[in-house]
Amino acid sequence: MSPLAEMTTPATAAPASTTPASSTTAIDPITVEVIGSALQSIVEEMGEALVRASYSTNIKERRDCSTALFDLHGNTLCQAEHIPMHLGSFLGVIPAIRDRFVASDIAPGDVFMANDAYAGGATHLPDIVLAEPIFVDGTLVAWAVNTAHHSDFADRGHEHIYQEGIRIPPVRLYRKGELNRDLQEMFLLNCQVPRERMSDLRAQMSANRLCVQRMTELCAKYGTGLVLAAGEALQDYAERKMRAAIAAIPDGTYAFEDVFDSNQRPEAMTFKVAITVAGDEMRLDFDGPPQVRSGLNLIYTSLLAACYFTVKSVLDPTILPNAGLARPLTVTAPRGSILNCEHPAAVDGRIAAAQRVCDLVYGALAQALPGRVMAAGNGCCTGALFNGTDENGNIWVYLETIGGGGGARPAADGLSGIHVSLTNTSNLPVEALELEYPLTLLRYELVEDSAGPGTQRGGMGIRRVYRAERACRFTVEGSRMGSHPWGLEGGAEAACSQLDFGDGRTTFAGMVDLVPGQIVSITTPGGGGFGAPGARAPEAVARDLREGRISAGFAARVYGYGA
């Protein structure tokens, strides 16, 4: 089949009104809970459909995608438990559509496609967002939205966004159920692996169509007005819970700063935050250097996504993930800075800086809520990107983001070999990697002595060692090469990132051309420790030693065990 073949056409309803349905129906808490659970089940089912129907390893294996439901105004009703960072794209896409299209011009069967950080409401170009309006009885009531990371824009520069891939404002991929073939062909022509892109877009279409069907069924069962009222009540409930959690924090200002280093920049940078709590409201004021000519910059919605996730996870993880939780929060950063960039700043690697934002918020809240915040996790999302051609001359692109150690918790050790904060992807299994790409994974292991020592130790970092079986280009994006994930309450810092090309080079060197047989080893940071290392139970040290988490020399030097 040609990669430009038509995608599955969505079902089309009759021409419709866009006047919002009434949501003034009286509603009781039990009904709110029942409908809320139904809404959450819809987005979770969307996510599973997207993963199972997708073609690329980055989505079907690594699950680098997210699904959500929005009300007709663009407020989050619920988001599946996938990638917190993707909230940044979701926050902007419906407002961007509403800015470009009048309500009367939006019809059943329309599907909007976007990825641009400045004109499309997204956060970086590989995350392609599809949004479909949901009509019930001729009225627009909600939006089905999903995003998937299309691992395609490889071997590119990152001095400004024009180098990073094709930019897509909100445009109709489908109009009233009819595929816009010209748009599809233009998009696929700009992709290196068009067959893969088309198949993943089909999976995204299927997920949204499932959402439309389920939401329509829900409204038919309970009544549209009742469902919409429940959505508003759920947002109000999330707001009340967030305000109650903030009100329990002593009023005051809590400041923290951390170092941000990246192989994309020669210099380390300092990020700062001041969190001010006043009653049941919280203000987060960030400061950072001016935006840079590399892909590290955050647009404002990326900053919001990082803040919303981190504050929620510390104050009350049970708060519903909808727009209501953001109402008591105010977030600022200087315009034109790396934490609130402006056009035409590059944004492809924005996750690295966003992870450090999470570390900043954790560090500040640890002062406000001692004993409730874990130490710093690995604090980065080390990205390994390989691309080349196979024996038939076809281009292939393989992306892996590698986890590391989680921070030690006040009453438990940190988790090892995990993604932290804003990233939640799975690893690519060895079998899938070697089946689909001309690479061999020689080692995949947790790294001895990488965890930050403490009464509770941090989690361990990961080492993955690749061997290129064909010539290819390797790109790595990393952080925490010179700075270390910090500990809390006397806990020690963790080991940082390392890279080894097997030829004496040990620096993160951007793009490197690998020859057949060449080996590259990537080691990610561990997590910081919590509490004084001297207070760690001897039996816990003995267990770590027995399990190979620490060496005998490390045990003696750090914990005094066996010395």
Side-chain angles (χ1 to χ4, degrees):
M1 180 184 295
S2 166
L4 303 181
E6 179 178 349
M7 294 185 289
T8 304
T9 302
T12 305
S17 164
T18 54
T19 302
S22 171
S23 58
T24 58
T25 307
I27 188 168
D28 63 90
I30 294 176
T31 303
V32 171
E33 181 70 18
V34 170
I35 294 177
S37 296
L39 294 173
Q40 190 63 37
S41 73
I42 289 174
V43 294
E44 296 293 347
E45 187 179 5
M46 285 175 69
E48 291 305 308
L50 174 53
V51 168
R52 294 186 181 192
S54 61
Y55 185 83
S56 68
T57 57
N58 196 50
I59 303 173
K60 71 181 180 182
E61 298 284 359
R62 300 191 59 249
R63 305 174 70 93
D64 194 351
C65 57
S66 291
T67 54
L69 256 171
F70 283 75
D71 68 17
L72 76 163
H73 303 296
N75 299 312
T76 314
L77 288 174
C78 51
Q79 180 181 354
E81 294 184 358
H82 287 189
I83 313 296
M85 187 65 204
H86 286 160
L87 176 62
S89 294
F90 291 154
L91 288 173
V93 68
I94 304 303
I97 293 172
R98 289 166 59 88
D99 285 345
R100 288 175 61 87
F101 300 91
V102 296
S104 60
D105 192 32
I106 298 174
D110 286 353
V111 178
F112 296 89
M113 177 184 187
N115 77 339
D116 189 62
Y118 301 105
T123 59
H124 75 161
L125 302 185
D127 285 346
I128 307 293
V129 182
L130 293 189
E132 181 169 355
I134 302 174
F135 287 82
V136 177
D137 297 327
T139 299
L140 175 61
V141 299
W143 289 85
V145 182
N146 71 64
T147 188
H149 185 120
H150 290 253
S151 299
D152 196 285
F153 303 149
D155 199 4
R156 293 180 180 267
H158 299 286
E159 292 197 3
H160 49 71
I161 197 167
Y162 295 101
Q163 295 181 341
E164 296 192 308
I166 183 172
R167 299 176 62 195
I168 309 171
V171 290
R172 284 189 181 92
L173 183 60
Y174 285 85
R175 180 188 288 270
K176 297 181 180 180
E178 293 295 325
L179 174 66
N180 184 341
R181 296 176 184 273
D182 292 342
L183 173 63
Q184 177 182 281
E185 291 188 11
M186 183 184 71
F187 170 69
L188 294 176
L189 185 63
N190 281 272
C191 296
Q192 294 175 285
V193 194
R195 182 182 298 275
E196 194 173 89
R197 301 288 67 74
M198 185 185 67
S199 298
D200 287 345
L201 283 176
R202 285 175 167 171
Q204 290 184 258
M205 282 294 307
S206 298
N208 276 357
R209 286 303 308 152
L210 177 63
C211 178
V212 172
Q213 177 183 343
R214 293 288 187 260
M215 188 67 173
T216 303
E217 293 169 349
L218 188 67
C219 290
K221 181 176 182 179
Y222 292 100
T224 302
L226 195 63
V227 172
L228 297 183
E232 293 177 2
L234 290 164
Q235 293 177 58
D236 292 341
Y237 178 56
E239 178 185 2
R240 291 196 301 272
K241 292 198 71 174
M242 178 61 79
R243 289 190 182 278
I246 294 172
I249 303 173
D251 283 359
T253 298
Y254 307 91
F256 192 78
E257 65 179 60
D258 202 354
V259 174
F260 176 62
D261 56 345
S262 168
N263 65 303
Q264 297 186 47
R265 301 296 303 174
E267 76 284 0
M269 294 171 274
T270 300
F271 292 176
K272 301 178 181 180
V273 69
I275 298 180
T276 301
V277 176
D280 62 358
E281 296 188 347
M282 177 182 290
R283 182 181 181 92
L284 300 92
D285 296 308
F286 291 87
D287 192 20
Q291 62 192 45
V292 294
R293 290 180 66 87
S294 60
L296 301 171
N297 304 288
L298 297 179
I299 66 164
Y300 184 61
T301 54
S302 295
L303 179 64
L304 292 180
C307 293
Y308 294 165
F309 166 80
T310 314
V311 171
K312 173 185 181 299
S313 65
V314 172
L315 268 58
D316 185 353
T318 68
I319 296 175
L320 298 174
N322 64 42
L325 70 84
R327 294 172 184 169
L329 305 178
T330 301
V331 180
T332 73
R335 292 184 64 86
S337 70
I338 192 173
L339 299 179
N340 184 13
C341 66
E342 297 179 309
H343 179 271
V347 294
D348 185 74
R350 86 281 190 241
I351 189 64
Q355 292 282 61
R356 193 66 77 256
V357 167
C358 294
D359 288 344
L360 289 174
V361 177
Y362 283 134
L365 290 180
Q367 303 167 38
L369 299 168
R372 283 182 52 183
V373 180
M374 64 183 179
N378 63 81
C380 59
C381 181
T382 303
L385 182 65
F386 298 81
N387 65 284
T389 56
D390 62 21
E391 60 275 9
N392 298 316
N394 298 315
I395 296 174
W396 57 271
V397 179
Y398 157 56
L399 169 69
E400 181 83 54
T401 57
I402 307 173
R409 296 160 286 178
D413 292 340
L415 299 175
S416 297
I418 61 168
H419 281 272
V420 298
S421 300
L422 297 174
T423 58
N424 192 32
T425 54
S426 300
N427 69 328
L428 182 60
V430 177
E431 298 84 356
L433 188 160
E434 296 182 350
L435 179 66
E436 300 211 25
Y437 306 108
L439 299 165
T440 299
L441 196 63
L442 301 178
R443 300 178 72 176
Y444 180 31
E445 60 191 358
L446 298 175
V447 182
E448 185 181 71
D449 296 343
S450 61
T455 307
Q456 309 294 341
R457 60 155 176 78
M460 303 165 69
I462 294 173
R463 180 179 293 115
R464 280 173 78 93
V465 181
Y466 304 85
R467 183 178 66 210
E469 304 302 341
R470 290 181 58 86
C472 61
R473 174 156 286 192
F474 168 66
T475 307
V476 63
E477 295 181 356
S479 183
R480 290 292 192 199
M481 295 92 65
S483 66
H484 295 254
W486 38 263
L488 280 176
E489 304 291 337
E493 62 187 22
C496 55
S497 300
Q498 297 180 33
L499 184 69
D500 185 358
F501 287 99
D503 58 4
R505 288 179 292 172
T506 58
T507 59
F508 281 76
M511 295 182 184
V512 177
D513 290 317
L514 302 179
V515 299
Q518 188 169 358
I519 293 171
V520 58
S521 172
I522 302 172
T523 301
T524 65
F530 191 98
R536 185 163 178 81
E539 56 270 23
V541 179
R543 183 179 64 249
D544 288 346
L545 188 59
R546 184 172 62 252
E547 294 177 348
R549 299 180 185 272
I550 59 176
S551 64
F554 189 91
R557 181 176 69 258
V558 175
Y559 293 110
Y561 184 85

